[in-house]
Amino acid sequence: NARVTQDIIYNSGEGRDQNLLVEYFMSKNVITISETDLIKTAAQLMVDKKIGALPVTTTSASTLIVGIISYIDILKAVISLL
């Protein structure tokens, strides 16, 4: 919930470190998808894992994040087929 997140950030309390680092809150076991996978695969993975977006990686030897696909992107793909 966005409101809860704002409250945590704004009400972190006096005397506490106001410089909260992303590394303390980020997901570390990130689920990714390859840029050559199908939209259907991405959609099924999001449903199965209950996540709203996936980092998209290259298929080359040095795996790099090249983008992100969200449930909105998948809805756009479905709408384009209607």
Coordinates of all heavy atoms in Angstrom, one line a residue:
N1 N 0.8 -1.2 0.0 CA 0.0 0.0 0.0 C 0.9 1.2 0.0 O 1.8 1.4 0.8 CB -0.9 -0.1 1.2 CG -1.8 1.1 1.5 OD1 -1.3 2.2 1.4 ND2 -3.0 0.8 1.8
A2 N 0.6 2.2 -0.9 CA 1.5 3.4 -1.1 C 1.5 4.2 0.2 O 2.5 4.8 0.6 CB 1.0 4.2 -2.3
R3 N 0.3 4.3 0.8 CA 0.2 5.2 2.0 C 1.0 4.6 3.2 O 1.7 5.4 3.9 CB -1.3 5.2 2.5 CG -1.5 6.1 3.7 CD -1.1 7.5 3.4 NE -1.1 8.3 4.6 CZ -0.6 9.5 4.7 NH1 0.0 10.1 3.7 NH2 -0.6 10.1 5.8
V4 N 1.0 3.3 3.3 CA 1.9 2.7 4.4 C 3.3 3.0 4.1 O 4.1 3.3 5.0 CB 1.6 1.2 4.4 CG1 2.6 0.5 5.4 CG2 0.2 0.9 4.9
T5 N 3.7 2.8 2.8 CA 5.1 3.1 2.5 C 5.5 4.5 2.8 O 6.6 4.8 3.3 CB 5.3 2.8 1.0 OG1 5.0 1.5 0.7 CG2 6.8 3.0 0.6
Q6 N 4.6 5.5 2.5 CA 4.9 6.9 2.8 C 5.0 7.1 4.3 O 5.9 7.8 4.7 CB 3.8 7.8 2.2 CG 3.8 8.0 0.7 CD 2.6 8.8 0.2 OE1 1.6 9.0 0.9 NE2 2.8 9.3 -1.0
D7 N 4.1 6.5 5.0 CA 4.2 6.6 6.5 C 5.5 6.1 7.1 O 6.1 6.7 7.9 CB 3.0 5.9 7.2 CG 1.7 6.6 6.9 OD1 1.7 7.8 6.5 OD2 0.6 6.0 7.2
I8 N 6.0 5.0 6.5 CA 7.2 4.4 7.0 C 8.4 5.4 6.7 O 9.2 5.6 7.5 CB 7.5 3.1 6.3 CG1 6.5 2.0 6.9 CG2 9.0 2.6 6.6 CD1 6.6 0.7 6.1
I9 N 8.4 6.0 5.5 CA 9.4 6.9 5.1 C 9.4 8.2 5.9 O 10.4 8.6 6.5 CB 9.4 7.2 3.6 CG1 9.7 5.9 2.8 CG2 10.3 8.3 3.2 CD1 9.5 6.0 1.3
Y10 N 8.2 8.8 6.0 CA 8.1 10.1 6.7 C 8.1 10.0 8.2 O 8.4 11.0 8.8 CB 6.8 10.8 6.2 CG 6.8 11.1 4.7 CD1 5.8 10.8 3.9 CD2 7.9 11.8 4.2 CE1 5.8 11.1 2.5 CE2 7.9 12.2 2.8 CZ 6.9 11.8 2.0 OH 6.9 12.1 0.7
N11 N 7.7 8.9 8.7 CA 7.6 8.8 10.2 C 8.6 7.8 10.7 O 8.4 7.0 11.6 CB 6.2 8.3 10.6 CG 5.1 9.3 10.2 OD1 5.3 10.5 10.3 ND2 4.0 8.8 9.7
S12 N 9.8 7.9 10.2 CA 10.9 6.9 10.6 C 11.4 7.3 12.0 O 12.2 6.6 12.6 CB 12.0 6.9 9.6 OG 12.6 8.1 9.4
G13 N 11.0 8.4 12.6 CA 11.3 8.7 14.0 C 12.5 9.6 14.1 O 13.4 9.5 13.4
E14 N 12.4 10.5 15.2 CA 13.6 11.3 15.5 C 14.7 10.5 16.0 O 14.4 9.5 16.7 CB 13.1 12.4 16.5 CG 12.2 13.4 15.9 CD 11.9 14.5 16.9 OE1 12.7 14.7 17.9 OE2 10.9 15.1 16.8
G15 N 15.9 10.9 15.7 CA 17.0 10.1 16.2 C 17.4 8.9 15.4 O 18.4 8.3 15.7
R16 N 16.6 8.6 14.5 CA 16.9 7.4 13.6 C 17.5 7.9 12.3 O 17.4 9.1 11.9 CB 15.6 6.7 13.3 CG 15.0 6.0 14.5 CD 13.8 5.1 14.0 NE 13.2 4.5 15.2 CZ 12.0 4.0 15.2 NH1 11.3 3.9 14.1 NH2 11.6 3.5 16.3
D17 N 18.2 7.0 11.6 CA 18.8 7.4 10.4 C 17.8 7.7 9.3 O 17.0 6.9 8.9 CB 19.7 6.2 9.9 CG 20.5 6.5 8.7 OD1 20.5 7.7 8.2 OD2 21.2 5.6 8.2
Q18 N 17.8 9.0 8.9 CA 16.8 9.4 7.9 C 17.3 9.0 6.5 O 16.6 9.2 5.5 CB 16.7 10.9 8.0 CG 16.1 11.4 9.3 CD 14.7 10.9 9.5 OE1 13.9 10.9 8.6 NE2 14.3 10.4 10.7
N19 N 18.5 8.5 6.3 CA 19.0 8.1 5.0 C 18.9 6.6 4.8 O 19.9 5.9 4.8 CB 20.5 8.6 4.9 CG 20.6 10.0 5.0 OD1 19.9 10.8 4.4 ND2 21.6 10.5 5.9
L20 N 17.6 6.2 4.7 CA 17.4 4.8 4.5 C 17.9 4.3 3.1 O 17.6 4.9 2.1 CB 15.9 4.5 4.6 CG 15.3 4.8 5.9 CD1 13.7 4.6 5.9 CD2 15.8 4.0 7.0
L21 N 18.7 3.3 3.1 CA 19.3 2.8 1.9 C 18.4 1.8 1.2 O 17.8 0.9 1.9 CB 20.7 2.2 2.1 CG 21.7 3.2 2.7 CD1 23.0 2.4 3.0 CD2 21.9 4.4 1.8
V22 N 18.3 1.8 -0.1 CA 17.5 0.8 -0.9 C 18.0 -0.6 -0.6 O 17.1 -1.5 -0.5 CB 17.7 1.1 -2.4 CG1 17.0 0.0 -3.2 CG2 17.0 2.5 -2.7
E23 N 19.3 -0.8 -0.4 CA 19.8 -2.2 -0.2 C 19.2 -2.9 1.0 O 19.1 -4.1 1.0 CB 21.3 -2.2 -0.1 CG 21.8 -1.6 1.2 CD 23.4 -1.7 1.3 OE1 23.9 -2.8 1.0 OE2 24.0 -0.7 1.6
Y24 N 18.7 -2.1 2.0 CA 18.1 -2.8 3.1 C 16.6 -3.3 2.9 O 16.1 -4.0 3.6 CB 18.1 -1.8 4.3 CG 19.4 -1.4 4.8 CD1 19.8 -0.1 4.8 CD2 20.4 -2.4 5.1 CE1 21.1 0.3 5.2 CE2 21.7 -2.0 5.5 CZ 22.0 -0.7 5.6 OH 23.3 -0.3 6.0
F25 N 16.0 -2.8 1.8 CA 14.6 -3.1 1.5 C 14.4 -3.8 0.2 O 13.3 -4.4 0.0 CB 13.8 -1.8 1.5 CG 13.9 -1.1 2.8 CD1 14.8 -0.1 3.0 CD2 13.0 -1.4 3.9 CE1 14.9 0.6 4.2 CE2 13.1 -0.8 5.1 CZ 14.0 0.2 5.3
M26 N 15.4 -3.9 -0.6 CA 15.2 -4.5 -2.0 C 15.1 -6.0 -1.9 O 15.6 -6.6 -0.9 CB 16.4 -4.1 -2.9 CG 17.7 -4.7 -2.5 SD 19.1 -4.1 -3.5 CE 20.4 -5.2 -3.0
S27 N 14.5 -6.6 -2.9 CA 14.5 -8.0 -3.1 C 15.9 -8.5 -3.5 O 16.4 -7.9 -4.5 CB 13.4 -8.4 -4.1 OG 12.2 -8.0 -3.6
K28 N 16.4 -9.5 -3.0 CA 17.7 -10.0 -3.3 C 17.6 -11.3 -4.2 O 18.5 -11.5 -5.0 CB 18.5 -10.2 -2.1 CG 18.8 -8.9 -1.4 CD 19.7 -9.0 -0.2 CE 19.9 -7.7 0.3 NZ 19.9 -7.5 1.7
N29 N 16.6 -12.1 -4.1 CA 16.4 -13.2 -4.9 C 15.4 -12.9 -6.0 O 14.3 -13.2 -5.9 CB 15.9 -14.4 -4.1 CG 17.0 -14.9 -3.1 OD1 18.1 -14.9 -3.4 ND2 16.5 -15.2 -1.9
V30 N 15.9 -12.1 -7.0 CA 15.0 -11.6 -8.0 C 14.7 -12.6 -9.1 O 15.5 -13.3 -9.6 CB 15.7 -10.3 -8.6 CG1 14.9 -9.7 -9.7 CG2 16.1 -9.3 -7.6
I31 N 13.4 -12.6 -9.4 CA 12.9 -13.5 -10.5 C 13.0 -12.7 -11.7 O 12.5 -11.5 -11.8 CB 11.5 -14.0 -10.2 CG1 11.4 -14.7 -8.9 CG2 10.9 -14.8 -11.4 CD1 10.0 -15.0 -8.4
T32 N 13.7 -13.2 -12.8 CA 13.8 -12.5 -14.0 C 13.2 -13.3 -15.2 O 12.9 -14.5 -15.0 CB 15.3 -12.2 -14.3 OG1 16.0 -13.5 -14.5 CG2 15.9 -11.4 -13.2
I33 N 13.2 -12.7 -16.3 CA 12.7 -13.4 -17.5 C 13.6 -12.9 -18.7 O 14.1 -11.8 -18.7 CB 11.2 -13.1 -17.8 CG1 10.7 -14.0 -18.9 CG2 11.0 -11.6 -18.2 CD1 9.2 -14.2 -18.8
S34 N 13.8 -13.8 -19.6 CA 14.7 -13.5 -20.8 C 13.9 -12.7 -21.8 O 12.7 -12.8 -22.0 CB 15.2 -14.8 -21.4 OG 15.8 -14.5 -22.6
E35 N 14.6 -11.9 -22.6 CA 14.0 -11.1 -23.6 C 13.4 -11.9 -24.7 O 12.6 -11.4 -25.5 CB 15.0 -10.0 -24.1 CG 16.2 -10.6 -24.8 CD 17.3 -9.6 -25.1 OE1 17.0 -8.4 -25.2 OE2 18.4 -10.0 -25.3
T36 N 13.8 -13.2 -24.8 CA 13.3 -14.1 -25.9 C 12.2 -14.9 -25.4 O 11.6 -15.7 -26.2 CB 14.5 -15.0 -26.4 OG1 15.0 -15.7 -25.3 CG2 15.5 -14.1 -27.1
D37 N 11.7 -14.8 -24.1 CA 10.6 -15.6 -23.6 C 9.3 -15.0 -24.2 O 9.2 -13.8 -24.6 CB 10.6 -15.6 -22.1 CG 11.6 -16.5 -21.5 OD1 11.9 -17.6 -22.2 OD2 12.1 -16.2 -20.4
L38 N 8.2 -15.8 -24.1 CA 6.9 -15.3 -24.6 C 6.2 -14.5 -23.6 O 6.4 -14.7 -22.3 CB 6.1 -16.6 -25.0 CG 6.6 -17.5 -26.1 CD1 5.7 -18.7 -26.2 CD2 6.7 -16.7 -27.4
I39 N 5.3 -13.6 -24.0 CA 4.5 -12.8 -23.1 C 3.7 -13.8 -22.2 O 3.5 -13.5 -21.0 CB 3.5 -11.9 -23.9 CG1 4.3 -10.8 -24.6 CG2 2.4 -11.3 -23.0 CD1 4.8 -9.8 -23.7
K40 N 3.2 -14.9 -22.7 CA 2.4 -15.8 -21.9 C 3.3 -16.3 -20.8 O 2.7 -16.5 -19.7 CB 2.0 -17.0 -22.8 CG 1.2 -18.0 -22.1 CD 0.8 -19.2 -23.1 CE 0.1 -20.3 -22.3 NZ -0.3 -21.4 -23.2
T41 N 4.5 -16.6 -21.0 CA 5.4 -17.1 -20.0 C 5.6 -16.0 -18.9 O 5.5 -16.4 -17.7 CB 6.8 -17.4 -20.6 OG1 6.6 -18.4 -21.6 CG2 7.7 -18.0 -19.5
A42 N 5.7 -14.8 -19.3 CA 5.9 -13.7 -18.3 C 4.6 -13.6 -17.5 O 4.7 -13.4 -16.2 CB 6.2 -12.4 -19.0
A43 N 3.5 -13.6 -18.1 CA 2.2 -13.5 -17.4 C 2.0 -14.6 -16.4 O 1.6 -14.4 -15.3 CB 1.0 -13.5 -18.4
Q44 N 2.3 -15.8 -16.9 CA 2.1 -17.0 -16.0 C 3.1 -16.9 -14.8 O 2.7 -17.2 -13.6 CB 2.3 -18.3 -16.7 CG 2.0 -19.5 -15.9 CD 0.5 -19.5 -15.6 OE1 -0.4 -19.5 -16.5 NE2 0.1 -19.5 -14.3
L45 N 4.3 -16.5 -15.0 CA 5.2 -16.3 -13.9 C 4.8 -15.3 -12.9 O 4.9 -15.5 -11.7 CB 6.6 -16.0 -14.5 CG 7.8 -16.0 -13.6 CD1 8.0 -17.3 -12.9 CD2 9.1 -15.7 -14.4
M46 N 4.2 -14.2 -13.4 CA 3.7 -13.1 -12.5 C 2.6 -13.6 -11.7 O 2.5 -13.3 -10.5 CB 3.3 -11.9 -13.3 CG 4.5 -11.1 -13.8 SD 3.9 -9.6 -14.6 CE 5.1 -9.3 -15.8
V47 N 1.7 -14.4 -12.3 CA 0.5 -14.9 -11.5 C 1.0 -15.9 -10.5 O 0.6 -15.9 -9.3 CB -0.5 -15.6 -12.5 CG1 -1.5 -16.4 -11.8 CG2 -1.2 -14.5 -13.4
D48 N 1.9 -16.9 -10.9 CA 2.4 -17.9 -10.0 C 3.1 -17.3 -8.8 O 3.0 -17.8 -7.7 CB 3.3 -18.9 -10.8 CG 2.6 -19.7 -11.8 OD1 1.3 -19.8 -11.8 OD2 3.2 -20.3 -12.7
K49 N 3.9 -16.3 -9.1 CA 4.8 -15.8 -8.0 C 4.1 -14.6 -7.3 O 4.7 -14.0 -6.4 CB 6.1 -15.3 -8.6 CG 6.9 -16.5 -9.2 CD 7.3 -17.6 -8.1 CE 8.1 -18.7 -8.7 NZ 8.5 -19.7 -7.8
K50 N 3.0 -14.2 -7.8 CA 2.2 -13.0 -7.2 C 3.1 -11.7 -7.2 O 3.2 -11.1 -6.2 CB 1.7 -13.3 -5.8 CG 0.7 -14.5 -5.8 CD 0.3 -14.8 -4.4 CE -0.8 -15.8 -4.5 NZ -0.6 -17.1 -3.9
I51 N 3.6 -11.4 -8.4 CA 4.4 -10.2 -8.6 C 3.9 -9.4 -9.7 O 3.2 -9.9 -10.6 CB 5.9 -10.6 -8.8 CG1 6.1 -11.5 -10.0 CG2 6.6 -11.1 -7.6 CD1 7.6 -11.9 -10.3
G52 N 4.2 -8.1 -9.7 CA 3.6 -7.2 -10.7 C 4.5 -6.8 -11.8 O 4.1 -6.2 -12.8
A53 N 5.8 -7.2 -11.7 CA 6.8 -6.9 -12.8 C 8.0 -7.8 -12.7 O 8.2 -8.4 -11.7 CB 7.2 -5.4 -12.6
L54 N 8.6 -7.9 -13.9 CA 9.8 -8.8 -14.0 C 10.9 -8.0 -14.7 O 10.7 -7.4 -15.7 CB 9.5 -10.0 -14.8 CG 8.6 -11.0 -14.3 CD1 8.1 -12.0 -15.4 CD2 9.3 -11.8 -13.2
P55 N 12.2 -8.1 -14.1 CA 13.3 -7.5 -14.9 C 13.5 -8.5 -16.1 O 13.4 -9.7 -16.0 CB 14.5 -7.6 -13.9 CG 13.8 -7.8 -12.6 CD 12.5 -8.5 -12.8
V56 N 13.8 -7.9 -17.2 CA 14.1 -8.6 -18.5 C 15.6 -8.6 -18.7 O 16.2 -7.6 -18.7 CB 13.4 -8.0 -19.6 CG1 13.6 -8.7 -20.9 CG2 11.9 -7.9 -19.4
T57 N 16.1 -9.8 -18.9 CA 17.6 -10.0 -19.1 C 17.9 -10.4 -20.5 O 17.1 -10.9 -21.2 CB 18.1 -11.0 -18.1 OG1 17.5 -12.3 -18.4 CG2 17.9 -10.6 -16.7
T58 N 19.2 -10.2 -20.9 CA 19.7 -10.6 -22.2 C 19.9 -12.1 -22.2 O 19.9 -12.8 -21.1 CB 21.0 -10.0 -22.5 OG1 22.0 -10.4 -21.5 CG2 20.9 -8.5 -22.6
T59 N 20.1 -12.7 -23.4 CA 20.4 -14.1 -23.5 C 21.8 -14.3 -23.8 O 22.3 -15.4 -24.0 CB 19.5 -14.7 -24.6 OG1 19.7 -14.0 -25.8 CG2 18.0 -14.7 -24.2
S60 N 22.6 -13.2 -23.8 CA 24.0 -13.4 -24.1 C 24.8 -13.9 -22.9 O 24.3 -14.1 -21.8 CB 24.6 -12.0 -24.5 OG 24.5 -11.1 -23.4
A61 N 26.1 -14.2 -23.1 CA 26.9 -14.8 -22.1 C 27.0 -13.9 -20.8 O 27.0 -14.4 -19.7 CB 28.3 -15.1 -22.6
S62 N 27.0 -12.6 -21.0 CA 27.0 -11.7 -19.9 C 25.6 -11.2 -19.7 O 25.1 -10.4 -20.4 CB 28.0 -10.6 -20.1 OG 27.6 -9.9 -21.2
T63 N 24.9 -11.8 -18.7 CA 23.5 -11.5 -18.4 C 23.4 -10.1 -17.9 O 24.0 -9.7 -16.9 CB 22.9 -12.5 -17.4 OG1 23.1 -13.8 -17.9 CG2 21.5 -12.2 -17.2
L64 N 22.6 -9.2 -18.7 CA 22.4 -7.9 -18.3 C 20.9 -7.6 -18.2 O 20.1 -8.2 -19.0 CB 23.0 -6.9 -19.3 CG 24.5 -7.0 -19.6 CD1 24.9 -6.2 -20.8 CD2 25.3 -6.6 -18.3
I65 N 20.5 -6.7 -17.3 CA 19.1 -6.3 -17.3 C 18.9 -5.3 -18.4 O 19.6 -4.3 -18.5 CB 18.7 -5.7 -16.0 CG1 18.7 -6.8 -14.9 CG2 17.3 -5.1 -16.0 CD1 18.4 -6.4 -13.5
V66 N 18.0 -5.6 -19.4 CA 17.7 -4.7 -20.5 C 16.4 -3.9 -20.4 O 16.1 -3.1 -21.2 CB 17.9 -5.4 -21.8 CG1 19.3 -5.9 -22.1 CG2 16.9 -6.6 -21.9
G67 N 15.6 -4.3 -19.4 CA 14.3 -3.7 -19.3 C 13.5 -4.3 -18.2 O 14.0 -5.1 -17.4
I68 N 12.2 -3.9 -18.1 CA 11.3 -4.5 -17.2 C 9.9 -4.6 -17.8 O 9.6 -3.8 -18.7 CB 11.2 -3.6 -15.9 CG1 10.4 -4.2 -14.8 CG2 10.6 -2.2 -16.2 CD1 10.6 -3.6 -13.4
I69 N 9.2 -5.7 -17.5 CA 7.9 -5.9 -18.1 C 6.9 -5.9 -16.9 O 7.2 -6.6 -15.9 CB 7.8 -7.1 -19.0 CG1 6.4 -7.1 -19.6 CG2 8.1 -8.4 -18.2 CD1 6.3 -8.0 -20.8
S70 N 5.8 -5.2 -17.0 CA 4.9 -5.1 -15.9 C 3.6 -5.7 -16.3 O 3.3 -6.0 -17.5 CB 4.7 -3.7 -15.4 OG 4.0 -3.0 -16.4
Y71 N 2.7 -5.9 -15.4 CA 1.3 -6.4 -15.7 C 0.6 -5.5 -16.6 O -0.2 -5.9 -17.5 CB 0.5 -6.8 -14.5 CG 0.0 -5.6 -13.7 CD1 -1.3 -5.1 -14.0 CD2 0.8 -4.9 -12.7 CE1 -1.7 -4.0 -13.3 CE2 0.3 -3.8 -12.1 CZ -0.9 -3.4 -12.3 OH -1.4 -2.3 -11.7
I72 N 0.9 -4.2 -16.5 CA 0.3 -3.2 -17.5 C 0.8 -3.5 -18.9 O 0.0 -3.4 -19.8 CB 0.6 -1.8 -17.0 CG1 0.0 -1.5 -15.7 CG2 0.2 -0.8 -18.1 CD1 -1.6 -1.5 -15.7
D73 N 2.0 -3.8 -19.1 CA 2.6 -4.1 -20.4 C 1.9 -5.3 -21.0 O 1.5 -5.3 -22.2 CB 4.1 -4.3 -20.3 CG 4.8 -3.1 -19.8 OD1 4.5 -2.0 -20.2 OD2 5.8 -3.3 -19.1
I74 N 1.6 -6.3 -20.1 CA 0.9 -7.5 -20.6 C -0.5 -7.2 -20.9 O -1.0 -7.7 -21.9 CB 1.1 -8.6 -19.5 CG1 2.5 -9.1 -19.5 CG2 0.1 -9.8 -19.9 CD1 2.9 -10.0 -18.5
L75 N -1.2 -6.4 -20.1 CA -2.6 -6.0 -20.5 C -2.6 -5.2 -21.8 O -3.5 -5.4 -22.6 CB -3.2 -5.1 -19.4 CG -3.6 -5.8 -18.1 CD1 -4.0 -4.8 -17.1 CD2 -4.7 -6.8 -18.4
K76 N -1.6 -4.4 -22.1 CA -1.6 -3.7 -23.4 C -1.4 -4.7 -24.5 O -2.1 -4.5 -25.6 CB -0.4 -2.7 -23.4 CG -0.6 -1.5 -22.5 CD 0.7 -0.6 -22.6 CE 0.7 0.5 -21.6 NZ 1.9 1.3 -21.7
A77 N -0.6 -5.7 -24.3 CA -0.5 -6.8 -25.3 C -1.8 -7.5 -25.6 O -2.2 -7.7 -26.7 CB 0.6 -7.8 -24.9
V78 N -2.5 -7.8 -24.5 CA -3.8 -8.5 -24.6 C -4.8 -7.6 -25.4 O -5.5 -8.0 -26.3 CB -4.3 -8.9 -23.3 CG1 -5.8 -9.3 -23.3 CG2 -3.5 -10.0 -22.6
I79 N -4.8 -6.3 -25.0 CA -5.8 -5.4 -25.6 C -5.5 -5.2 -27.1 O -6.4 -5.2 -27.9 CB -5.7 -4.0 -24.9 CG1 -6.4 -4.1 -23.5 CG2 -6.4 -2.9 -25.8 CD1 -6.1 -2.9 -22.7
S80 N -4.2 -5.2 -27.5 CA -3.8 -5.1 -28.9 C -4.3 -6.3 -29.7 O -4.5 -6.2 -30.9 CB -2.3 -4.9 -29.1 OG -1.7 -6.2 -28.8
L81 N -4.6 -7.4 -29.1 CA -5.1 -8.6 -29.8 C -6.6 -8.7 -29.9 O -7.1 -9.5 -30.6 CB -4.6 -9.9 -29.0 CG -3.1 -10.1 -29.0 CD1 -2.8 -11.3 -28.1 CD2 -2.5 -10.2 -30.4
L82 N -7.3 -7.8 -29.2 CA -8.8 -7.8 -29.2 C -9.3 -7.1 -30.4 O -8.8 -6.2 -31.0 CB -9.3 -7.1 -27.9 CG -8.9 -7.8 -26.6 CD1 -9.5 -7.0 -25.4 CD2 -9.4 -9.2 -26.6

